[in-house]
Amino acid sequence: MSDFKVLASLLDLRFISGRDELFRHLSEEFRAKVIPAAGDEFCRILWGHRSKTGKGMDSVVLEPDLKNGWGTLRDVQFIRWCADIKGDHFPLNKKDLNDLRRDEALLMQARSA
């Protein structure tokens, strides 16, 4: 897979309406064929991009970027996507995961307020 934005979108795939069996088939095929082929490279490219984005800016902005700033939604998504690809959340334990989910909910609430 050459377009990692499409891969990221498909990692957050969720059923909204339509034919449930088509959605399940797409999800299963995606997990069986695309993730094994592109997963590790996706995490490497995404980490390279995240590590360059916004360096040094968060401490000088008046309005924090809750979507793309450091420690915000993109970082939560990065952790979730790469854990989904790897099949585990190592080195995060259950408490870390609960904290991450709680913090993501707070960021989403603040972003949409």
Side-chain angles (χ1 to χ4, degrees):
M1 172 157 279
S2 60
D3 188 346
F4 287 101
K5 288 182 181 182
V6 172
L7 179 60
S9 296
L10 290 172
L11 283 167
D12 282 336
L13 196 64
R14 57 192 172 276
F15 180 74
I16 296 173
S17 69
R19 294 178 52 195
D20 185 46
E21 64 273 5
L22 288 176
F23 171 77
R24 275 187 276 128
H25 179 70
L26 173 63
S27 295
E28 290 166 4
E29 291 291 308
F30 176 74
R31 302 249 175 247
K33 295 179 180 175
V34 177
I35 294 292
D40 289 339
E41 182 67 13
F42 170 74
C43 288
R44 274 193 294 281
I45 288 172
L46 191 61
W47 176 246
H49 178 71
R50 282 301 296 152
S51 63
K52 294 177 194 170
T53 303
K55 275 198 173 175
M57 289 301 296
D58 288 349
S59 62
V60 296
V61 295
L62 295 175
E63 296 180 22
D65 183 348
L66 297 178
K67 182 177 179 185
N68 293 309
W70 282 100
T72 58
L73 290 170
R74 283 288 180 242
D75 291 329
V76 172
Q77 288 173 325
F78 172 73
I79 292 167
R80 200 167 16 88
W81 290 335
C82 289
D84 198 26
I85 287 167
K86 287 177 22 185
D88 66 39
H89 287 85
F90 180 81
L92 301 179
N93 59 36
K94 276 207 181 291
K95 182 188 178 317
D96 294 334
L97 288 173
N98 288 336
D99 290 347
L100 185 68
R101 288 183 184 109
R102 183 198 65 222
D103 295 345
E104 180 181 20
L106 177 65
L107 286 168
M108 290 299 290
Q109 192 175 31
R111 185 167 180 249
S112 59

